[in-house]
Amino acid sequence: MPHSQTSAPRAGFAGVRLARGASPWLLPTVATAAASLVRARRSRRAAALAVPATALAAGMLWFFRDPEREIAQGRVISPADGVVQSIMPWKDGRTRVAIFMSPLNVHVNRAPMAGTVTSVEHVPGGFVPAFNKESENNERVVWHFDTELGDIEMVQIAGAVARRIVPYLAQGAKVEQGDRIGLIRFGSRVDIYLPEGVDVAVEVGQTTTAGVTRIDRD
C-alpha cells in the first residue's frame, strides 16, 4: 500500500523539499532576505543587512527540510531524528523511549508502525527545554495508533523554542509505517511507548533516524 498523500512533503526552494507547516516561519524570512539582496545593489547599509537575513533564510530552509527516506524493515521504527535521551519502564508494563531532537535535526515525525490513528490529543502546557525533567509538563500532542501490536502511544513534546506542533493527520486516518504524521518546529522531544513484552533495541545516547532506525528487538 502506498504512503498516504496527506503526509506527502511540499516542494521547496531550489529543489529542497520542505515540511508542511513551515510556511509561517519560512515565507517572511525568505521574503526579507530577497528584499535585502535587491536593495544591496544600491546601498552599503542594505548590503550589510542582507548578509544576516540571507543566513537566517538559509538556516530556516535547513531546519524545515523534509528528505525522502527508504523506510526500514522491522516491527517498530523510530518516529524521530535525534538522540535517545532515556529508556524508562512504565508502571503499566510498557517501556518509554524518549528521543531528544536538536534544532539541527529533521523536525518531521513519522509513524512508528502501520495502523489506524485512534486519537490525536493536544495537551496545553509549558515550554521548558525538552532535555529538562520538567518538560514532562510541556505542551504536547498525544497520538494513539491501533497496530498489530495493539495500542501504540507516541507523544510529540514542545520545547523552549518549539512552541508549535503541527499534526498532519486526524483520528481515523490510516497510516503505513514511516508515513509523515506531523511537525515539531525546531528542537524538542518525541516519546514512544513500547507494549509490555517488546524489548528495546536502542540504548541511551544512540542516534536515531525517523523511518530508518529500528526501536524494538525480535
Side-chain angles (χ1 to χ4, degrees):
M1 178 177 176
H3 283 193
S4 60
Q5 294 299 312
T6 54
S7 57
R10 299 289 178 86
F13 299 89
V16 178
R17 300 188 74 88
L18 302 176
R20 291 172 53 202
S23 297
W25 289 80
L26 268 177
L27 295 182
T29 307
V30 173
T32 299
S36 299
L37 289 172
V38 171
R39 294 172 183 170
R41 299 179 180 181
R42 302 190 297 268
S43 165
R44 289 185 178 181
R45 184 176 181 181
L49 292 174
V51 174
T54 302
L56 181 59
M60 287 290 185
L61 290 172
W62 175 254
F63 289 151
F64 290 114
R65 69 198 185 280
D66 185 11
E68 294 292 348
R69 297 272 168 84
E70 186 69 30
I71 304 304
Q73 299 295 315
R75 289 186 304 176
V76 187
I77 57 175
S78 177
D81 287 22
V83 175
V84 178
Q85 182 182 41
S86 66
I87 299 172
M88 182 180 298
W90 221 240
K91 295 178 180 179
D92 59 7
R94 297 180 299 166
T95 302
R96 186 187 71 180
V97 179
I99 300 171
F100 175 73
M101 303 166 60
S102 83
L104 298 180
N105 290 125
V106 171
H107 312 300
V108 176
N109 301 139
R110 294 175 177 262
M113 295 186 68
T116 302
V117 179
T118 55
S119 70
V120 184
E121 179 187 8
H122 171 255
V123 181
F127 296 100
V128 302
F131 54 79
N132 192 308
K133 184 177 180 180
E134 294 180 4
S135 65
E136 302 292 338
N137 298 316
N138 273 14
E139 187 98 359
R140 65 191 57 216
V141 170
V142 181
W143 296 77
H144 285 271
F145 302 91
D146 182 22
T147 74
E148 65 178 17
L149 290 178
D151 176 69
I152 293 291
E153 180 179 352
M154 185 189 114
V155 184
Q156 295 174 296
I157 304 173
V161 178
R163 298 194 174 205
R164 185 74 170 97
I165 300 172
V166 184
Y168 292 165
L169 304 174
Q171 182 178 351
K174 303 288 186 180
V175 294
E176 290 297 303
Q177 189 175 47
D179 276 353
R180 298 167 175 88
I181 63 169
L183 167 73
I184 308 180
R185 292 176 180 160
F186 303 105
S188 195
R189 199 177 99 198
V190 175
D191 294 348
I192 180 169
Y193 293 79
L194 299 181
E196 184 175 7
V198 176
D199 294 328
V200 179
V202 293
E203 57 186 28
V204 174
Q206 180 175 335
T207 299
T208 63
T209 302
V212 176
T213 304
R214 185 170 179 181
I215 297 294
D216 76 311
R217 189 189 312 277
D218 289 329

